[in-house]
Structures are given as C-alpha cells and as structure tokens.
Amino acid sequence: MSHAVRNLSPDFLAFWREYHLCTLTTLRPDGSPHVVPVGAMYDPEAGLARVITNKNSRKVANILAAGAGVRDGADPGGARVAVCQVHRGRWATLEGRATVRTEPELIADAVSRYAERYERTPAPNPDRVLIEITVERALGRG
C-alpha cells in the first residue's frame, strides 16, 4: 500500500522508530539489484532516510557509479534506492534518491540517530560515510 510521504500514519512512523534491521537495495552498474542488510534511520520531518557505512562498500560504489557523486549540499539528484524493513506481517519501504555525504557533522548526527534506534553506538570508523536518501515514496502494511 502506498502512503503519502508528507502524511504518514502514526503507526507507520512508530514502526520506523522501533528496532528493526533493514535492507538497502542499490543498483549495480549492470542494472542488477544489490541488496544488503543495514541499520537505517528515518527522519520524516526532513524527508530523509540515513544509513551509515564504510566508504569502500559496494553500496557506496553503486551509488557513485550511478552518477550521484559525493553530495556537497547542492546536488538534488542521486541514485535510485529502496530501504525496507519487515517484522512478521508488517513491512515498510522507503524509496528515493541516495547521495553519499562525507561531512563530519552529518555523519556524527547519523551515528547518534543510529545509537538511539539500535541501542548501541557503533565503533569509531575513519572510513565511515553517510548514505542520505531523499524519500520520494513510502509503501507498507501494518
């Protein structure tokens, strides 16, 4: 079921605050899907989903190969991606455009959001980057 991104139900939003692992789907240069488990945080006020990861990961390479580049704050484009979570009969998917962010303050904010949702602070990682997804569509049931 499709949901209006700017008018999501309280249940849908609560689901994104609960502890659930997610999957992130990016597209490889050949167009095939690359699906990996991730921790993801959704900020409905900003219309953003965030994933912290290593800059040398395949998901980052896929986003960069799609021409999204490293965002400097001005690029509205990005690679098409989907982040999804499921728990029993409930599921939620956020689709949008992803860019790679390297600004230390944005990464620190995402780490803080991760620690809040997943109840643990990830170990320091000098190669950490942020995948920032501008959410364009929300789907789900539950």
Side-chain angles (χ1 to χ4, degrees):
M1 170 182 296
S2 183
H3 301 274
V5 174
R6 297 291 178 213
N7 191 25
L8 296 169
S9 74
D11 288 342
F12 188 92
L13 296 174
F15 189 42
W16 277 101
R17 289 188 297 273
E18 296 171 9
Y19 185 116
H20 297 291
L21 293 179
C22 302
T23 59
L24 176 68
T25 302
T26 60
L27 298 177
R28 294 182 183 98
D30 69 3
S32 64
H34 176 257
V35 184
V36 293
V38 296
M41 297 73 61
Y42 180 44
D43 179 353
E45 291 80 26
L48 298 174
R50 296 175 177 94
V51 174
I52 54 175
T53 191
N54 190 294
K55 69 181 180 182
N56 298 311
S57 68
R58 178 77 250 170
K59 55 192 161 290
V60 167
N62 290 342
I63 291 166
L64 296 176
V70 173
R71 186 169 173 186
D72 63 6
D75 178 11
R80 306 259 330 135
V81 301
V83 63
C84 180
Q85 64 182 19
V86 62
H87 182 257
R88 297 187 178 158
R90 296 186 303 163
W91 62 275
T93 300
L94 302 172
E95 297 177 356
R97 297 202 173 263
T99 54
V100 178
R101 304 295 299 257
T102 59
E103 299 93 330
E105 66 278 6
L106 296 180
I107 295 169
D109 177 65
V111 167
S112 175
R113 291 171 188 269
Y114 179 98
E116 182 178 331
R117 182 171 192 201
Y118 293 103
E119 302 169 355
R120 73 171 193 84
T121 301
N125 178 355
D127 291 332
R128 181 171 288 133
V129 295
L130 168 63
I131 296 173
E132 187 176 79
I133 303 162
T134 302
V135 176
E136 298 170 342
R137 180 180 298 152
L139 307 163
R141 181 175 6 168

